Amino acid sequence: MEVKSLYFVLFIPGVAFIYYLFPQRLRWLVLLFSSLFFVAYNSTISLIVLISVILINYILNQQFNKIKTEQKRQYFLWFTILINLIILGLFKYYNAINRGSNFITDLLQIENPIPHIEWLLPLGISYYIFQAIGYNIDIYRGTEKPETHFGNFAVYLSFFPKLIAGPIEQAADFLPQLKENITLKYQNISNGGRLILWGLFKKIIIAEHINEFIQPMFMDSPNHSGAPLILALLLYTVEIYADFSGYTDIALGTARLFGIKLTINFRQPFYAISLTDFWRRWHISLSTWVNNYIYNPLSMWISITFNFKKWGIIFSVFFSFLLLGIWHGTDLTFAFFGGIQGAILGFEILTQKVRKKIAAKTPQFIFNIISRSLTIGAFAFSCIFFKANRINQAKGWILQMNPLKSNITDLNNTSIIYLIIAIVVYIFIDHQIFKNGFNNWCSSQHVILRWSVYALLIFAIITLSSVNTYPFIYSNF
């Protein structure tokens, strides 16, 4: 269901209208069936897989309290994790495993025993599987109790605003909200509407226009080498941000229409002064999940088992981000993307004291500019692998980005200058003027200015939107 489609425009207010007609105790039915319809609209297999995951995990969750011994609880936890990973692996990684198996069997000149099946990636599977695993771990740890209300648990995994690309919600934050007596409030409607509007602007006006400019440059990189290709890479990081944070704003705004608050997923990431700081601001729900359920347990186990300290932390960070990269997709490029992030984060851990000394001797303004530039540059470099379909393609782009090979005529274009100015203005507005959130800024302005901004955004979305429709980048994961 594309955001520029009539179905999207009618679906959200229609569901919200029906939602408030129902009494509080039955509203979960509206949220659940609207979510299931949303998934079924994408594909039947997506609906079947989602319902199966909900049923399996609900049954598994209810068994935890029946197991008394710690060892058996631990075994059962690993069983629940394994079940969820098998489901995720079957639909997301099966084809990649099959391709690898084909390569090996071809070398050995034997028949591949793994059948070839072209799976369609179920909508949102990476997100709700991670939620299910995290919830099982929380139950095992005793920080959460198994949700006995099947409807509420089903909504927790399937809630449609967060299904395509998150945020990955913690049960402790989401489930209690379903039990509150939520009434129709103007504040929820206005806040939700504003977030949806700002998210649509970021997606349709910023992200899609950047994509139309840079995509031909990447696809025809031999003719767009050096500085123009480096510029395209930097613009690609802005495209990812506008696309992904735009979806997040739409998700948060849609949830707010129902009186539900989702996790904030971005906090001015381009103001980060290190990659460590960056990941505290970028895709916060995923980095929090990785920290809670991979990095912390792994680093603690390494510390206790091997008595490694700093190097144990570095390995845990690298391994966690390697898995984070693989979570994005089956191509080896995503492993490189995560591995580069983990390697740079490890370097930051090793040089922490040195960087603090440099910061103490350098004017803060200068230090921040240099640090932010290096952080954006490091992230942008890793995004080469994020965008590339294969390693050779990424390698080719890197070689073509040699500044000495720059074709200056590519930059001698008025439209490029206008685009760069527009992006700089957008980043400034988004990170500085709206630094406390678009909603908070709007609420603090005079009504005339506020409605003028609304009108300007709506006008831009209607008149400047691209003819082509591009799916959200993170909907592919």
Side-chain angles (χ1 to χ4, degrees), residues 163-190:
L163 197 62
I164 295 178
I168 301 172
E169 288 296 318
Q170 300 288 313
D173 298 325
F174 187 87
L175 284 172
Q177 297 185 72
L178 299 179
K179 301 170 186 178
E180 295 176 3
N181 185 22
I182 298 172
T183 57
L184 179 62
K185 294 180 180 179
Y186 171 77
Q187 185 179 16
N188 283 338
I189 303 300
S190 62

Side-chain angles (χ1 to χ4, degrees), residues 92-93 126-127 130 168 244 278-279 282-291 294-295 316-331 333-342 345 379 382 386 474 477:
K92 188 167 185 175
Y93 301 101
S126 299
Y127 298 92
F130 264 33
I168 301 172
F244 193 12
F278 183 89
W279 279 101
W282 179 280
H283 206 170
I284 298 170
S285 64
L286 176 61
S287 57
T288 300
W289 192 96
V290 170
N291 184 68
I294 299 178
Y295 168 74
S316 299
V317 167
F318 178 81
F319 184 76
S320 298
F321 273 83
L322 184 64
L323 291 182
L324 181 147
I326 294 172
W327 172 87
H328 283 84
T330 59
D331 294 321
T333 51
F334 289 116
F336 271 75
F337 168 75
I340 291 169
Q341 302 289 321
L345 289 168
F379 181 72
S382 69
F386 189 89
Y474 266 74
F477 307 140

Side-chain angles (χ1 to χ4, degrees), residues 208-224:
E208 292 192 355
H209 281 284
I210 292 177
N211 180 73
E212 291 194 337
F213 170 71
I214 67 173
Q215 191 64 17
M217 297 180 70
F218 278 109
M219 294 301 99
D220 189 25
S221 58
N223 294 321
H224 300 279

Side-chain angles (χ1 to χ4, degrees), residues 48-279:
I48 294 172
V49 174
L50 174 61
I51 292 175
S52 300
V53 170
I54 291 171
L55 289 171
I56 290 170
N57 279 278
Y58 179 77
I59 293 170
L60 292 175
N61 290 343
Q62 305 309 309
Q63 305 307 311
F64 266 102
N65 288 341
K66 299 177 182 179
I67 303 172
K68 302 304 180 182
T69 65
E70 176 60 24
Q71 189 178 45
K72 288 183 178 179
R73 280 173 57 84
Q74 198 173 75
Y75 288 153
F76 188 72
L77 171 65
W78 281 109
F79 174 72
T80 65
I81 294 174
L82 183 62
I83 290 294
N84 282 288
L85 289 180
I86 288 174
I87 296 172
L88 179 62
L90 183 63
F91 287 96
K92 188 167 185 175
Y93 301 101
Y94 179 87
N95 291 333
I97 295 171
N98 198 13
R99 288 195 299 270
S101 178
N102 278 333
F103 177 76
I104 295 172
T105 53
D106 287 346
L107 288 177
L108 298 175
Q109 296 183 343
I110 60 175
E111 186 178 349
N112 186 2
I114 302 176
H116 178 76
I117 304 173
E118 286 294 335
W119 291 113
L120 177 68
L121 183 66
L123 185 69
I125 188 171
S126 299
Y127 298 92
Y128 60 72
I129 286 290
F130 264 33
Q131 283 192 184
I133 291 174
Y135 188 43
N136 289 332
I137 295 174
D138 287 343
I139 294 173
Y140 166 77
R141 291 174 175 174
T143 56
E144 284 295 315
K145 294 181 179 179
E147 175 58 59
T148 56
H149 192 292
F150 174 77
N152 286 347
F153 176 75
V155 172
Y156 167 60
L157 289 188
S158 67
F159 189 45
F160 74 88
K162 64 177 178 60
L163 197 62
I164 295 178
I168 301 172
E169 288 296 318
Q170 300 288 313
D173 298 325
F174 187 87
L175 284 172
Q177 297 185 72
L178 299 179
K179 301 170 186 178
E180 295 176 3
N181 185 22
I182 298 172
T183 57
L184 179 62
K185 294 180 180 179
Y186 171 77
Q187 185 179 16
N188 283 338
I189 303 300
S190 62
N191 286 347
R194 283 196 292 250
L195 283 173
I196 292 172
L197 181 61
W198 182 233
L200 288 172
F201 176 82
K202 289 199 282 187
K203 164 61 178 172
I204 295 173
I205 302 303
I206 305 298
E208 292 192 355
H209 281 284
I210 292 177
N211 180 73
E212 291 194 337
F213 170 71
I214 67 173
Q215 191 64 17
M217 297 180 70
F218 278 109
M219 294 301 99
D220 189 25
S221 58
N223 294 321
H224 300 279
S225 56
L229 204 56
I230 294 173
L231 172 62
L233 177 62
L234 293 173
L235 290 177
Y236 179 60
T237 64
V238 181
E239 181 196 348
I240 298 174
Y241 171 70
D243 186 281
F244 193 12
S245 69
Y247 172 83
T248 300
D249 286 341
I250 295 170
L252 267 63
T254 304
R256 187 65 65 88
L257 297 179
F258 304 106
I260 295 173
K261 294 181 179 180
L262 299 181
T263 303
I264 294 174
N265 224 9
F266 294 90
R267 288 194 178 94
Q268 296 82 43
F270 295 127
Y271 275 9
I273 59 173
S274 67
L275 202 62
T276 303
D277 185 27
F278 183 89
W279 279 101

Side-chain angles (χ1 to χ4, degrees), residues 370-388:
I370 295 174
S371 297
R372 285 168 181 165
S373 299
L374 291 173
T375 300
I376 293 171
F379 181 72
F381 176 76
S382 69
C383 284
I384 295 174
F385 297 91
F386 189 89
K387 184 170 181 59

Side-chain angles (χ1 to χ4, degrees), residues 30-46:
V30 179
L31 297 180
L32 178 58
F33 282 102
S34 60
S35 297
L36 295 179
F37 171 80
F38 185 85
V39 175
Y41 185 89
N42 175 263
S43 71
T44 304
I45 188 66
S46 293

